Amino acid sequence: MTEYEINRIDANTAVVHAGIEIDVQHASALRDTLISLHADGVNRFVIDLAAVEFVDSTGLSVLIRAWRRAVNNGGG
C-alpha cells in the first residue's frame, strides 16, 4: 500500500491517489489497497487519476471490480 496515498474522508469514504501507471505490474498493489480499505468498511472511493499516465486492461479491470464491489455494498 505504500505506492498509494490514501486520505480517509470519513468511516465509509476514502480518496486513493494512484501512481503514474496502473498496469499489470502495479495493478495487484492497487487491488490489494482497495480490498483492504473495503475490509475496513470503506464502500465509497474516489480514485484520483491525475498523475496516471497509463492504464492497461489489467488496471482497468481492478478499477471496474472495485466499483462493482462498492456499488454492491451500497457505495460507489
Side-chain angles (χ1 to χ4, degrees):
M1 284 197 335
T2 59
E3 291 185 45
Y4 304 99
E5 180 182 337
I6 300 167
N7 300 96
R8 293 287 290 259
I9 304 302
D10 57 36
N12 299 320
T13 309
V15 177
V16 179
H17 303 276
I20 293 175
E21 295 180 345
I22 305 174
D23 57 10
V24 69
Q25 182 179 357
H26 300 97
S28 63
L30 179 59
R31 182 192 69 232
D32 294 346
T33 298
L34 296 173
I35 288 172
S36 176
L37 285 169
H38 181 74
D40 286 343
V42 174
N43 64 359
R44 291 183 296 203
F45 297 94
V46 175
I47 301 177
D48 179 4
L49 301 174
V52 175
E53 296 178 3
F54 179 77
V55 178
D56 70 4
S57 61
T58 306
L60 186 57
S61 175
V62 167
L63 296 173
I64 291 170
R65 287 174 189 223
W67 172 75
R68 284 183 182 161
R69 189 179 312 106
V71 169
N72 288 338
N73 289 287

